[in-house]
Amino acid sequence: MGPQIVVALSWSWLRVRVDPLTGALDAEDRDRGGNAAELAALEHGLRLAEELDGRVTAVTVGPVAAEEILRTALAAGAHEAIRVERDDQLEPGALVRNGADTAKAIASALREPDLVLCGDRSADGGTGATPAFLAARLGAAQALGVVRLECDDGSLLAHRRLDGGSREVLRLPKPAVVSVEAAGVRLRRASLPAVLSAQKAAIETIPGEPKRPPHVVAAHAFRPRPREFPAPAGTTAHDRMLELTGALQDRTAPTVIGPLPAAEAADELLAYLRRYGYPTGSSCAAEEEAAK
């Protein structure tokens, strides 16, 4: 029997608007689906399954609408599809910010896979952290930035993109989690009978863990970080207290000048800077003249 290949597909936003002031993300539900990197990962998985006589399982985490991306995978040639139920994805980037939870949900649907293929990042602000969380949970090896996968004498070789245009070839053990880039590989076009059959195919649904509100374990007042000060040198308690509180230091009382016209206010500011040793335009020019 060939290898068990799993392709993790996200139900992410493909077109995201960013508020220039707050940085908040906004999108419309109709602009959701799998991104190019994940579809490239699916194509890599299908090619490996054909060469090694393996099986491809497509997995996603999301609401019922996320089954659309799974049916796309079934039409392209995936053997089965699994959806982990989750209805709390109400805004773009929800899966990204909860990469550990998403990886846990995906891992709950897997049955000892030999290879897990993921996109290098999602389209709605992804960081690529979910594959790392998934590899840690599965105890699997991980390869990043993969642009090509091939078989060599029963083992899997992953070609990684490195800086400067160079490549690195890794021989992957089992199990392995591979993050694929959308470089030079596109998902095959499904035939019309395959598309119609995928629309009627049964998709296994696994209930996800309910989202629990955070539980406050303890709360305490803010405590500043302690700093070490030199011991006071006063001979009496009164002198030492004055030294500790800084009452013996020379202080310049604040001076209120004005309101003044703009030119006079600028002169006062420059005079204040010169008085305390800050270089100003005139002093810098004088220093340059003296250096000549």
Side-chain angles (χ1 to χ4, degrees), residues 218-292:
H220 55 81
F222 172 72
R223 180 179 299 172
R225 185 184 299 271
R227 297 192 310 174
E228 184 177 356
F229 291 92
T235 57
T236 66
H238 181 262
D239 293 339
R240 291 194 295 271
M241 183 60 68
L242 292 177
E243 186 177 348
L244 286 173
T245 58
L248 300 180
Q249 298 179 3
D250 294 333
R251 299 179 183 274
T252 302
T255 304
V256 179
I257 301 176
L260 296 175
E264 296 182 18
D267 292 339
E268 290 289 343
L269 178 58
L270 292 174
Y272 176 85
L273 295 175
R274 297 190 195 100
R275 187 161 58 249
Y276 287 94
Y278 291 96
T280 60
S282 59
S283 62
C284 291
E287 292 175 0
E288 292 178 0
E289 291 294 333
K292 293 180 181 178

Side-chain angles (χ1 to χ4, degrees), residues 9 15 29 33 55 61 93 100 107 112 119 139 142 169 175 186 193 199 204 244 268:
L9 303 171
R15 299 177 181 85
D29 279 344
R55 290 182 59 83
V61 180
E112 298 183 356
Q142 186 185 12
V169 181
R186 299 182 62 181
Q199 296 301 317
E204 182 180 354
L244 286 173
E268 290 289 343

Side-chain angles (χ1 to χ4, degrees), residues 12-17 26-33 92:
S12 56
W13 280 260
L14 304 180
R15 299 177 181 85
V16 180
R17 297 181 294 273
D26 184 28
E28 297 182 7
D29 279 344
R30 69 171 181 267
D31 295 329
R32 296 182 69 171

Side-chain angles (χ1 to χ4, degrees), residues 113-239:
D114 297 310
L115 176 65
V116 181
L117 298 174
C118 309
D120 59 345
R121 59 180 180 176
S122 64
D124 55 347
T127 60
T130 301
F133 285 117
L134 184 58
R137 183 165 289 276
L138 296 176
Q142 186 185 12
L144 305 174
V146 174
V147 294
R148 180 184 171 193
L149 289 168
E150 63 177 349
C151 299
D152 178 62
D153 194 21
S155 60
L156 183 64
L157 299 182
H159 296 250
R160 297 183 60 228
R161 183 195 303 275
L162 300 180
D163 294 338
S166 57
R167 295 288 188 272
E168 180 182 52
V169 181
L170 302 177
R171 189 178 297 273
L172 299 178
K174 297 180 182 180
V177 176
V178 176
S179 301
V180 175
E181 291 187 2
V185 177
R186 299 182 62 181
L187 181 62
R188 63 192 64 182
R189 184 183 296 274
S191 64
L192 180 58
V195 172
L196 296 177
S197 176
Q199 296 301 317
K200 301 177 182 178
I203 294 178
E204 182 180 354
T205 302
I206 297 177
E209 292 187 1
K211 190 174 181 180
R212 300 187 180 123
H215 175 63
V216 179
V217 178
H220 55 81
F222 172 72
R223 180 179 299 172
R225 185 184 299 271
R227 297 192 310 174
E228 184 177 356
F229 291 92
T235 57
T236 66
H238 181 262
D239 293 339

Side-chain angles (χ1 to χ4, degrees), residues 60-135:
T60 192
V61 180
V64 177
E67 292 183 357
E68 178 181 341
I69 186 64
L70 295 179
R71 298 192 186 280
T72 299
L74 291 173
H79 298 83
E80 60 179 332
I82 301 174
R83 178 177 65 88
V84 181
E85 180 68 39
R86 179 179 291 178
D87 289 327
D88 59 347
Q89 304 167 19
L90 301 180
E91 57 184 4
L95 289 179
V96 175
R97 290 189 296 272
N98 302 305
D101 294 338
T102 304
K104 182 179 180 181
I106 294 175
S108 68
L110 305 186
R111 309 180 185 93
E112 298 183 356
D114 297 310
L115 176 65
V116 181
L117 298 174
C118 309
D120 59 345
R121 59 180 180 176
S122 64
D124 55 347
T127 60
T130 301
F133 285 117
L134 184 58

